[in-house]
Amino acid sequence: MFTNKVKCQLFVFAVFLCLTYVKIYHIASNDTDMRQNIKYTDLGETDNETDLNKGVTERNMIISQITVSKNLQQLGPCNENITFEGRKKPNLKNINMASAISRNPKTKMGGRWKPNGCIPKEKIAVIIPYRDREQHLAMVLNFVHLLLQKQNRDYRIFVVEQFTTIGENKKNKLGVDNFNKGSVMNAGYNEIRKIDNFNCFIFHDVDLIPEDDRIPYSCDSINVTHLSARVDTLQYRIVYEGLIGGVLTFPINVFNRVNGFSNRFWGYGGEDDDMWHRLSTMNISVLRPNKEIQMYTMIKHQKRKANGGNLCELVQNQKTKYKGMVNEGLHTVKYEKMFLKEYRLFTHIMVNILVPTEQVRCKYNAEKE
């Protein structure tokens, strides 16, 4: 009745109908699954317009998240082959917080920024231990924000301040300057870990300004990097091998491994040298970038007198070959978080460092000597 040609055409048409039916069924099933995923059943069977709009909003959010995920998959890693200006002595004139804000218009509230057109290799927290140097803070924020954005870093800057250094009473019950930089950095680290999944931590002194935009503000995967090895006030020389103060980067696993900074150093000096011995004891290398680019300017300020008692702590730790560091440091820091507040160029964390009594003997003996 039908020719072979007609039979062939009918067969193709039947196959087309079957495939169309399967596709429609698949789409309907997926739509049912999506509605189950956004928990329409939890909204109940209702004609309430608010509940229905809520369900539509949830579904739109899921679709938006899927779209963002697909877009991220299409993006590649950030290109670090950027055109840099190279070394240039920073101009520190006429910089205050207002001018720093105006020079960094892309920085978001809380001192955060990340590139849009690529995927950064790490999430960076910059921690600035702070005490009564507002103008210095404005300067370092101005230049560090510009550098980090030039290098396409995903970052946020935190200023961690010690509450007990505010006011006229600058000494604690040990009879020494009550500022404890190591404890401030440990406390800041602990609080910042609660905020986001940072995996690279840069501890940055408030009085150091990078001179070269090629200085790599990032972390090695297994070692520590000392960025500020060469400072103008030291004629850009590394004065001694264990000098690692200033600007130091830690991958999260390394900072946890050495149990952070020691909490036993009050006043000026000691905590950085102690960190050098912690790293050496754990056979962790301290890397330094190319000496041609790792140049910093130190903002002029009155030098604080070193606390002689800190030498006592270093000597004690060296005698025990730093075996006690597993029990003293990041996990034993005693503090109270007073508040956290976001400003345009930074997130401010105020902490009250608590003074342990077990240090009194070493401190008072050292002071008497």
Side-chain angles (χ1 to χ4, degrees):
M1 184 170 63
F2 296 107
T3 65
N4 290 337
K5 182 177 180 181
V6 173
K7 290 180 180 179
C8 182
Q9 290 175 341
L10 288 173
F11 176 76
V12 171
F13 181 70
V15 171
F16 173 77
L17 288 177
C18 290
L19 292 175
T20 302
Y21 173 79
V22 170
K23 186 173 183 181
I24 292 173
Y25 177 80
H26 178 69
I27 293 173
S29 299
N30 284 345
D31 186 59
T32 301
D33 291 340
M34 177 176 284
R35 283 183 289 175
Q36 290 174 348
N37 286 336
I38 61 175
K39 299 182 180 178
Y40 266 95
T41 54
D42 293 344
L43 300 176
E45 296 295 329
T46 177
D47 293 329
N48 186 289
E49 186 175 6
T50 302
D51 286 346
L52 290 176
N53 287 338
K54 189 183 296 182
V56 172
T57 300
E58 289 185 24
R59 182 169 64 178
N60 289 341
M61 288 177 63
I62 291 175
I63 294 172
S64 175
Q65 290 171 0
I66 293 173
T67 302
V68 170
S69 178
K70 288 182 178 179
N71 290 339
L72 286 175
Q73 291 176 6
Q74 295 173 359
L75 295 176
C78 290
N79 180 15
E80 295 185 356
N81 296 321
I82 304 165
T83 302
F84 292 104
E85 296 182 22
R87 187 184 175 193
K88 184 170 63 175
K89 195 72 173 176
N91 182 2
L92 303 179
K93 294 181 179 180
N94 303 319
I95 298 180
N96 53 35
M97 200 61 73
S99 65
I101 291 173
S102 67
R103 296 178 186 184
N104 289 276
K106 297 179 181 179
T107 306
K108 299 185 183 302
M109 199 67 177
R112 72 190 85 189
W113 185 87
K114 65 178 179 179
N116 292 322
C118 59
I119 303 176
K121 68 177 184 178
E122 57 199 350
K123 195 171 187 67
I124 301 171
V126 180
I127 301 176
I128 302 177
Y130 175 77
R131 66 181 305 184
D132 54 21
R133 290 190 191 173
E134 186 175 351
Q135 187 177 13
H136 293 181
L137 180 61
M139 292 177 182
V140 74
L141 288 172
N142 175 74
F143 287 99
V144 172
H145 273 298
L146 292 172
L147 185 149
L148 287 163
Q149 291 176 24
K150 182 72 172 288
Q151 296 183 7
N152 279 333
R153 308 297 185 188
D154 180 358
Y155 72 92
R156 183 170 176 178
I157 295 182
F158 297 87
V159 174
V160 187
E161 183 174 6
Q162 184 176 337
F163 176 74
T164 50
T165 61
I166 297 176
E168 296 182 359
N169 182 17
K170 298 292 184 180
K171 291 189 176 183
N172 58 29
K173 63 186 178 182
L174 304 180
V176 295
D177 186 338
N178 66 4
F179 184 63
N180 190 316
K181 185 179 175 184
S183 290
V184 168
M185 292 188 285
N186 286 339
Y189 176 89
N190 283 336
E191 292 302 315
I192 292 166
R193 288 286 309 278
K194 302 173 186 177
I195 296 173
D196 208 338
N197 294 321
F198 298 100
N199 55 11
C200 173
F201 290 82
I202 301 179
F203 296 91
H204 204 298
D205 280 3
V206 73
D207 56 6
L208 287 177
I209 308 295
E211 295 183 6
D212 200 312
D213 57 3
R214 295 171 295 176
I215 300 173
Y217 270 57
S218 62
C219 288
D220 185 74
S221 59
I222 58 174
N223 298 302
V224 169
T225 306
H226 184 212
L227 298 181
S228 59
R230 301 176 188 276
V231 180
D232 61 346
T233 54
L234 299 176
Q235 291 75 51
Y236 300 105
R237 294 180 295 109
I238 301 176
V239 181
Y240 58 96
E241 185 184 7
L243 176 65
I244 58 172
V247 185
L248 199 61
T249 81
F250 285 86
I252 186 172
N253 58 307
V254 172
F255 196 72
N256 290 334
R257 185 179 169 194
V258 298
N259 198 14
F261 289 91
S262 172
N263 303 305
R264 300 179 66 87
F265 295 88
W266 298 88
Y268 177 76
E271 73 284 336
D272 296 327
D273 292 319
D274 179 271
M275 175 56 74
W276 167 263
H277 291 293
R278 287 178 178 238
L279 295 169
S280 299
T281 302
M282 301 295 289
N283 294 318
I284 297 171
S285 298
V286 176
L287 308 178
R288 293 188 171 98
N290 186 329
K291 66 179 181 179
E292 301 299 326
I293 68 173
Q294 57 179 139
M295 310 290 190
Y296 279 77
T297 293
M298 179 174 286
I299 305 172
K300 293 181 180 179
H301 61 278
Q302 184 178 357
K303 292 287 186 180
R304 291 183 171 90
K305 185 179 179 180
N307 173 19
N310 286 346
L311 177 60
C312 170
E313 300 296 345
L314 280 172
V315 171
Q316 282 190 349
N317 288 341
Q318 289 171 356
K319 285 180 178 179
T320 61
K321 297 183 179 180
Y322 283 80
K323 293 180 181 179
M325 73 178 181
V326 295
N327 299 318
E328 191 279 315
L330 177 64
H331 305 306
T332 59
V333 59
K334 304 296 182 183
Y335 71 96
E336 299 171 334
K337 186 182 82 171
M338 308 302 289
F339 64 79
L340 182 151
K341 186 174 182 180
E342 291 188 344
Y343 294 90
R344 177 63 183 279
L345 295 184
F346 63 95
T347 296
H348 186 197
I349 301 177
M350 182 73 76
V351 293
N352 181 24
I353 303 300
L354 305 178
V355 183
T357 58
E358 65 270 16
Q359 290 183 250
V360 173
R361 181 179 180 183
C362 180
K363 291 296 179 182
Y364 277 125
N365 285 345
E367 291 296 320
K368 289 176 182 178
E369 291 174 1

